[in-house]
Amino acid sequence: MKYAVAKKITGMLLIGSLLLSGCQFSPSPQAREAAAVEQTDLPSLPLGEKLKSSFSDARLQGMIGIAGNEALRLFINEETAEIAVLHRESGQIWRSNPADREQDGVAAGINKDLLSSQARLSFFNSQGQSSTVNSFTDSIGHKQVSYEAMPNGVRVHYQFGSTERSIEDLPVKISKERFEQKLLAQLDKAGERALKIGYTEDKDEGVYVRIDKALQGLQLSRALKAFDAAGYTEEDLAQDNAEHGIDQERSGPRLFMMTLEYELDGENLLVRVPASGIHFPEEYPINTISVLEYFGAGGTNEKGSIFVPDGSGALIHFNNGKIQYPGYQQDIYGQDLTMKLREAGSNETKARLPVFGLIREEGAFLGIIEEGDAVAVVNADISGKLNSYNNVYPSFYVVNKSDVTLQASDMVRTLPKFQKRPTASDFVVRYAFVGAEKASYSGLAALYRNYLLQTGGLPEQQAGEEQPGIPFYLKLIGGMTTRQHMLGIPYDSTEALTTFEEAKQILSTLKEKNVSNIQVRYAGWFNDGLHHRLPDSISVDGAIGGKKGMRDFSDYAREAGIGFYPDVALLNVQSKKGFKPSREASRTLTQEPAVVYPMNQALQQRDRDRSPSYVLSPNKLNQLTEEMLEEMKSIQKEEHSQSLSLKDLAEQLNSDMNPKKLLDRTEALGVVTKALERIKQQAGSVVAEGGNGYALPYVTGLTDAPMSSSQFKLEDEEVPFFQLVVHGNISYTGSPYNLSTYTNPRQYVLKLIEYGASPYFAWFNAPNHVVKQTDYDDLYAANYEQWVDLAAEMYNEVNQINQPFAGRSMKSHESLAEGVYRTTYDGGGFVIVNYNDFPVKVENQTVEAQSYMTGGEQL
């Protein structure tokens, strides 16, 4: 898809030719003046048509029915462009904008306007400063909207802004004397008030300074009118800018265009922003597009919750009173490592699934981001801050920005650097609706699970395959590379932490303790250990047993019924041997190779004293994948499974901002899924870290899957939405117990039982002290001997409870009391977990302190 972007904005708006909803608009004087100037290549607003009403509803005054089927009816108001969807089964009406917004006593100014908006654009100017326009203030307000009927919906075209003058026609600074004598002295009280709202006095400098945030919408119009009334001219503006050293490059009018499509698709509403319908001036690149910010928003007198995809999932209850905390905002699939990284908190978990939702007692909706998910952000907030509503909505990155700092002598200047071209994707959100009986996070999870099964987004359930028990996940660490010295000369040496022979002994010990269905991720086994070189060629490290040792271990694992998954990192390159960052690493917006320094967990910041890793360009991924798979064929015996463990391919997603071969994050997603599909074809069985939504069809097991939320201050509950979606199709576990923040093994066991998960440990054979004061000191306390007995006890207890539910989907999860939760599985069996230090009576049965009970039908 190509974006049409205006190259020069000095021109005109063809308003006179537009017929909108049967009304014709005359061009403004400014537009007629602009018509005499050069015409630009910014498209004009499509002519549109008068929509035909197919039906009506007395509850939706001013709206006409434009599309319907057995499940839904779609309505639109041609004056305001707001829509409504009637869910026929439940009778629920879902509006794009709150019906009673005019009575909102909290919202004012631009925040009031936003309640009537269906889309908002944030954009940059040439200095990198950000501003916004919205469809109500800047499109509907100028009567710049047109409509086209679609077979099952409607297409709405918006033009934001006009050729009328902008804030750039007002001085950034003006001297106190000129402000008071040339302006205020010439105005009536209304004009004085308009300028005093838009400017603030800086007494130290003796000037009045423009307040950009105050000069929006109606206030900007009033200020421009006041300057005109005072006789302020272009020459005055140039004089004030020169006097205060302001180099304000005058751009043309800020005109933007965007199309929104609403289409009924069976029981769902599809909302699409086509890439082909997004237009903007080159001087004003769009940063983000936000869509339907107040769709279904709940008011202060309503009960309900917002579902957000934070980690395993979280709920934000309507009107929870936490107005002192920031709103919820998370990038889907985590941060793009080519962008400027913020220092995430130690407990912040990624949003793995591209979904969000809103739950009321009488009904709920789930938003599924189908296209543009790689550049999507989910936003949510509560009432009492900017307005009286609780809302959740998606935003999408169109053009990213970074800053370049130039320094000469004692002068420092920062300039913006923009993404070379916009995101090459449509943005599509599927809204799915349920009635009261399914209006819960469990109901929404079931809806999403069914959606994934229908669209191939989950692997099929392994029905009929009897397993000896639930998986016991074990990460064994083979070797590490450390810096050694001989005769004062430094050299790198690979030091064994667990040889293949030692690994056999560890696994034999586990089996003796009745641990079954062991799944081993073997990390640090090739190309110099944990921080291995690129896997375009693979040499099994001799320090841990070499190629022969690996084949012997593979034979042992196969005969013992143990899963063996050699671990490979493809996206992060931690050794520069054989790797050229200038050619093979992703570029940042400032055109530097993208590097990531490890986190210092104690200080919660990047540790630049340690060796960084490079971000592999997605342009190199497919070739590297093929080379890696060929190498694995030569290492593993042909008759054996080619099982693999993926360290980062399901964990992170990065773009490449190199302008010569730019791949934005949506394009990188296509490359990564192709690599995952190719690996699945050859390997058959794949275990991966993380579990981003796009990776789910290609994996059989997940480690480091989300087992909690980030517990942001605004959130009220964490819920196992992720588990409700994938249980029965993919086995999973969280982070290794011995490297986690758990201090109480009992709490860990209860969590595994509540969430239907498997135990997981990370071990090596060497003494703990060998990793102290190395780049691997985060592995301290990973010597297996101190953990093996506890691991066996945990496994045997969790296996006894979770094994009957293996291969079965979760039907529901609910909180029964404080610290007491029930998980119900397909077929009726359930488990109730009590985290409290005291017994709790539930449905005439007692659940002991820090314990659990099972019941219901057992298969």
Side-chain angles (χ1 to χ4, degrees), residues 98 107 286 430 436 481 497 551 730 753:
I286 294 175
R430 178 180 295 271
T481 299
L497 295 175
R551 286 189 165 185
I730 302 171
I753 292 172

Side-chain angles (χ1 to χ4, degrees), residues 121-406:
L121 315 180
S122 72
F123 62 92
F124 298 116
N125 63 15
S126 57
Q127 281 78 44
Q129 299 163 320
S130 181
S131 300
T132 64
V133 288
N134 70 78
S135 63
F136 179 76
T137 309
D138 303 284
S139 184
I140 300 296
H142 295 297
K143 300 188 184 306
Q144 294 168 179
V145 61
S146 66
Y147 303 95
E148 288 180 60
M150 295 169 60
N152 296 301
V154 65
R155 183 178 291 116
V156 185
H157 302 286
Y158 296 98
Q159 178 167 284
F160 301 80
S162 71
T163 54
E164 296 176 1
R165 290 175 301 157
S166 70
I167 195 170
E168 291 184 350
D169 292 282
L170 303 179
V172 177
K173 290 183 180 180
I174 183 170
S175 69
K176 175 180 170 65
E177 180 182 1
R178 280 173 59 78
F179 187 80
E180 293 177 350
Q181 294 182 9
K182 183 165 184 62
L183 296 175
L184 295 184
Q186 313 301 320
L187 299 172
D188 58 18
K189 288 186 178 180
E192 286 184 25
R193 185 165 60 250
L195 295 196
K196 287 181 178 179
I197 289 173
Y199 284 81
T200 182
E201 184 179 1
D202 184 333
K203 294 183 178 180
D204 294 335
E205 231 184 296
V207 298
Y208 277 81
V209 181
R210 191 177 75 196
I211 310 171
D212 289 6
K213 287 185 178 180
L215 291 171
Q216 299 187 45
L218 184 59
Q219 290 300 337
L220 174 60
S221 299
R222 288 171 175 169
L224 286 166
K225 183 178 179 181
F227 270 86
D228 286 343
Y232 193 84
T233 65
E234 288 279 342
E235 290 73 21
D236 288 320
L237 179 62
Q239 176 184 334
D240 287 324
N241 284 343
E243 180 180 341
H244 299 287
I246 294 170
D247 181 18
Q248 186 172 354
E249 183 179 335
R250 298 296 305 285
S251 301
R254 299 181 298 187
L255 297 176
F256 307 90
M257 294 193 65
M258 192 193 93
T259 298
L260 260 180
E261 296 177 356
Y262 303 101
E263 182 181 6
L264 299 185
D265 182 21
E267 298 180 355
N268 304 155
L269 169 70
L270 281 181
V271 178
R272 179 184 297 271
V273 180
S276 59
I278 301 172
H279 306 280
F280 55 87
E282 191 173 44
E283 299 96 327
Y284 297 109
I286 294 175
N287 178 217
T288 62
I289 292 178
S290 301
V291 180
L292 298 186
E293 294 187 43
Y294 293 95
F295 186 79
T300 53
N301 60 344
E302 296 181 80
K303 292 182 179 180
S305 297
I306 297 165
F307 162 69
V308 293
D310 174 21
S312 63
L315 299 180
I316 301 168
H317 297 323
F318 285 6
N319 314 309
N320 64 18
K322 300 179 181 181
I323 59 174
Q324 70 272 37
Y325 299 123
Y328 169 85
Q329 185 177 78
Q330 269 193 309
D331 293 353
I332 299 297
Y333 310 139
Q335 292 179 272
D336 184 336
L337 298 182
T338 66
M339 301 298 161
K340 184 177 180 181
L341 299 182
R342 54 186 178 81
E343 305 291 354
S346 60
N347 66 331
E348 182 169 340
T349 58
K350 292 182 181 179
R352 300 285 185 189
L353 302 177
V355 292
F356 59 92
L358 190 140
I359 303 165
R360 290 202 182 97
E361 292 178 341
E362 60 273 18
F365 77 74
L366 181 72
I368 304 169
I369 304 171
E370 287 192 331
E371 295 182 46
D373 48 319
V375 292
V377 182
V378 172
N379 312 267
D381 215 340
I382 58 165
S383 65
K385 294 181 178 180
L386 304 178
N387 53 60
S388 300
Y389 297 95
N390 307 272
N391 65 315
V392 60
Y393 64 95
S395 299
F396 302 90
Y397 291 108
V398 179
V399 174
N400 288 286
K401 177 189 80 82
S402 188
D403 294 316
V404 179
T405 301
L406 305 177

